Amino acid sequence: IRATAATWSLATVTMTARHARLLMRSTPLVETSLARFRPSNALPAATTPEPAVRCLRCASSGASSAAVDESSSGPRGKRRGRRGRSAKRRGSLRDESNLSLPEPNRPLGADDDPVAFGIRPRSVEERGVFDAVLREARARLERGEERLGHAARRRNVKLYNRFMADAARAGCPSLVRRASERMDADGIEKNEYTASVLINALVRGGADLEEARAVLEEFERRGVRTNEAALVPLLQGTIEPPGHDLGGGDVEGSSSRWERVARAVAMVRRQLKEQAEEGDNEAPHRTPVPSRRTLDALLRGCKRWAPTVAPLVLRELVPSAAPSSRSSYGGNGEGEGDGRPLLEPSTLALLAEIACIDADPASASRLVRRMEDDWDISADTALRYLVATAHALDGDEVGAIGALQVADAAAEAEADRAAKVANGEGDAEEGEKKKLQRRPVPKSMLEVQRGMLMEYLSSGRASLIDEGKHRSGPCCHPFYDSPMISWGEDIRGGGNNSDTNGGKGNSRAAEEGLLRLIDQTASSSSSDGALHVEIGSGSGDWLAAQAAARPSDIYLGVEPRVDKVHQLWTRAVLRDLRNVHMFADVGEAVLGRILPEESVDVVHVRFPQPPLLEWHQLVEDRPPHEGYLGGGSFLDCAVRALVPGGELRIVTDNPLYCVLMTATVHWYNEYAADNMSVHRLLPKGDESSKSGLIVSPAQPNAADVSFFDALLADAGRKERYTLELIKE
């Protein structure tokens, strides 16, 4: 190969295996030739793969020449090689092999100690976590820049799209923006997949929704028609915008969750109207309906934030499957002409869950049967247990026992099937129904749920609920009007459902019940009567187990999502817990405004969702930005509610969140040192260690097991980071 013939356009030529091997033997010559023609806007040499060219198809994957020869030994070998290299490229940015904690031997305070957010580690445990997090972030940035450089040299829109999708999954929105700017600078035409990847990265990265909407409008002005992959992230961000669960800042103009759902429905209606005008449907005379993915995104948002409006959303977007007098969650739902059901299995499962929240077990059972009759798909065990629990909480003891028996049979059949597959005896038998694929629930949690339901049915309290329901009449909703729940302002202020008022009617009873619990702990002469608050209770497994193990303590669960509040309420009712109260609100509102000052003994934060942080944010010499659970404003509210000597306990499995909270507490104490009216948060235990961080393998006892504990145990992730702080 002559040096004068090796131009930059050579990188786009398809080569045979023989030519590739010849090029590998001529690599120095080709590198010298390419240096003459490398464009001026290429990345610096420090971020360019070394060597610059290995193989024209494998430059980004780092494959050796031996691997190239082996994968090029035939057509089938070439296909396998491409798939293997693509998988490696897709997973390269998310490689977490550098997260193993080192065992540093150097003393603390060394010049080469890692620095994050302008602080140095104060203990050996902190230094190990800082090392791992910064090393992984730096490696992720270098891998991303290397692949971005490869896409820039190839000038291929598919490579750019693949890179941006990987960067979005790896939590690197800045690399996505850089790739988009590079495409504009090089004149590379963007397509509909570019739009969906870019919008998804902006929404997941916590960017302003207006920026994502502006990107969508720009693509529409260019004449690029976006698909549902671009619409779904916008719907999710509209219903639950970044910072929705924190309570700080102005989230979408402080709109209620009903208004956010209405805004998302309006976006879908506009898209359907455009489809009808363009005549893109196969049968133009039909009314266009949203796709399965779009409808599921809307219903999933309704389940989490406004379950009572789900039937209205269904009636608005799928008229043929609109609620009827027989059921509040859809009629036949058959298509026009072909008889194909409009509502797919995942949609039916979501509607069944919403029906259980709305205390309508009959509709939930009907939806599960429709899933089996229309699609020949069996519901998962978790959904069947949920339907059985809804029957029990509605006072239908016979229906609960029948649904529980069906769920037990399904669980046993699933266990037998898994055992056969593990023993190599083949897949499912002929004629057996397929299983609905949803998010898996740990087996231990299913056993706990079944045990609670069996205990509740054997106690006879289900029949008492049935008698009380007939006496109180249909106007009293068991969940929304429960005195165990205090609803947030955005819930009490919205909703037009005539059957359920969104918790408006129970506000006085809930407030009286809460004050009674607080007075009970204040008047307790023993040292046991402590008031615990868990921020982000989730499904409530841990809080319910703690309340059952310590009946003299009071436990308050704070969770903004309605479906999670329903799960915690269900566990409290099944276990007959009298020392539990729930807030359907954000943590800062409860700790900063609702609870009295200096009334809480312990604040728990367990397994919070960490924000997306990149290398440039970690190495900034300033406090971490707000917008995550545990920020400076949250610490202000926690210190206000804690008694002197009260504890703040944070448990996480994520080392990045551990570094983030360590830095946040450090800067908060710096602020408190300059303001005499602000209390500091000191490490618990030996103060000479200067750190409240505990790094240890998970060894939970029976009362400490939660959904995330079981989920992480099944995944083999045992590392836990615990931060224990005491109010000064």
Side-chain angles (χ1 to χ4, degrees), residues 342-375:
L342 287 175
L343 303 182
E344 299 197 22
S346 59
T347 308
L348 295 172
L350 284 170
L351 290 173
E353 291 179 327
I354 295 172
C356 292
I357 298 174
D358 205 18
D360 190 358
S363 295
S365 300
R366 192 177 300 114
L367 289 164
V368 171
R369 287 195 299 269
R370 281 182 54 190
M371 189 188 310
E372 298 177 350
D373 297 340
D374 296 350
W375 295 93

Side-chain angles (χ1 to χ4, degrees), residues 636 665-678 680:
D636 273 333
V665 172
H666 169 83
W667 284 104
Y668 182 83
N669 287 333
E670 291 286 333
Y671 165 74
D674 298 334
N675 296 270
M676 300 301 296
S677 60
V678 180
R680 293 186 300 168

Side-chain angles (χ1 to χ4, degrees), residues 84-106:
R85 286 188 292 273
S86 298
K88 185 173 181 180
R89 277 198 301 268
R90 286 195 297 270
S92 59
L93 294 183
R94 295 174 291 167
D95 182 18
E96 297 183 358
S97 58
N98 291 318
L99 282 180
S100 57
L101 298 181
E103 295 291 339
N105 297 319
R106 61 186 186 277

Side-chain angles (χ1 to χ4, degrees), residues 321-589:
S324 62
S325 58
R326 184 187 176 204
S327 171
S328 300
Y329 294 92
N332 295 330
E334 294 182 355
E336 301 175 11
D338 56 3
R340 179 181 175 84
L342 287 175
L343 303 182
E344 299 197 22
S346 59
T347 308
L348 295 172
L350 284 170
L351 290 173
E353 291 179 327
I354 295 172
C356 292
I357 298 174
D358 205 18
D360 190 358
S363 295
S365 300
R366 192 177 300 114
L367 289 164
V368 171
R369 287 195 299 269
R370 281 182 54 190
M371 189 188 310
E372 298 177 350
D373 297 340
D374 296 350
W375 295 93
D376 198 31
I377 290 181
S378 177
D380 58 299
T381 307
L383 180 58
R384 292 186 182 277
Y385 279 145
L386 180 62
V387 174
T389 304
H391 278 285
L393 295 177
D394 195 50
D396 183 8
E397 189 172 357
V398 176
I401 294 176
L404 183 60
Q405 291 174 349
V406 175
D408 288 342
E412 185 177 355
E414 185 176 352
D416 293 341
R417 187 188 311 112
K420 289 181 180 180
V421 173
N423 295 332
E425 299 179 10
D427 296 332
E429 298 179 0
E430 185 177 355
E432 187 178 2
K433 292 182 182 295
K434 296 181 180 179
K435 202 74 173 179
L436 178 64
Q437 299 296 325
R438 300 206 306 161
R439 181 183 180 183
V441 178
K443 184 179 179 181
S444 58
M445 291 293 101
L446 293 177
E447 293 174 353
V448 170
Q449 184 176 356
R450 183 186 182 278
M452 289 189 299
L453 182 56
M454 289 292 294
E455 181 182 355
Y456 180 76
L457 292 174
S458 61
S459 67
R461 284 182 280 136
S463 58
L464 297 178
I465 288 182
D466 187 42
E467 296 175 4
K469 182 176 64 174
H470 288 297
R471 286 197 302 267
S472 60
C475 61
C476 182
H477 195 278
F479 170 56
Y480 292 109
D481 296 320
S482 172
M484 300 173 62
I485 307 173
S486 298
W487 297 93
E489 291 296 332
D490 67 328
I491 304 178
R492 293 203 302 265
N496 297 318
N497 193 299
S498 59
D499 297 329
T500 60
N501 55 14
K504 290 178 65 176
N506 82 322
S507 57
R508 182 177 297 276
E511 183 179 355
E512 293 175 354
L514 172 62
L515 294 177
R516 185 168 57 252
L517 289 176
I518 295 177
D519 293 340
Q520 178 181 339
T521 59
S523 61
S524 176
S525 58
S526 64
S527 59
D528 294 334
L531 180 60
H532 299 254
V533 178
E534 185 187 13
I535 306 299
S537 301
S539 57
D541 300 284
W542 182 85
L543 188 140
Q546 294 289 327
R550 299 175 176 84
S552 58
D553 290 359
I554 305 300
Y555 286 85
L556 308 181
V558 181
E559 175 60 51
R561 280 178 48 176
V562 178
D563 60 331
K564 297 298 184 182
V565 175
H566 180 266
Q567 294 180 15
L568 175 55
W569 172 81
T570 299
R571 284 155 177 74
V573 172
L574 293 180
R575 291 191 172 193
D576 196 21
L577 300 176
R578 307 297 178 88
N579 58 338
V580 170
H581 192 86
M582 288 147 275
F583 288 95
D585 212 329
V586 294
E588 293 185 11

Side-chain angles (χ1 to χ4, degrees), residues 26-48:
S26 318
T27 295
L29 179 62
V30 176
E31 288 182 3
T32 304
S33 304
L34 292 181
R36 304 178 185 177
F37 299 96
R38 181 172 286 115
S40 60
N41 60 350
L43 290 177
T47 61
T48 304

Side-chain angles (χ1 to χ4, degrees), residues 34 84 111 176 218 320 370 392 606 646 648:
L34 292 181
D111 293 337
V176 177
E218 179 185 356
S320 59
R370 281 182 54 190
R606 294 178 56 83
L648 172 62

Side-chain angles (χ1 to χ4, degrees), residues 18-76:
R18 176 175 174 275
H19 292 158
R21 289 193 293 271
L22 179 61
L23 178 61
M24 291 299 300
R25 292 194 292 267
S26 318
T27 295
L29 179 62
V30 176
E31 288 182 3
T32 304
S33 304
L34 292 181
R36 304 178 185 177
F37 299 96
R38 181 172 286 115
S40 60
N41 60 350
L43 290 177
T47 61
T48 304
E50 296 293 334
V53 176
R54 292 190 180 95
C55 173
L56 299 188
R57 282 203 319 250
C58 308
S60 66
S61 65
S64 63
S65 59
V68 173
D69 292 345
E70 181 180 357
S71 65
S72 304
S73 57
R76 294 180 59 86

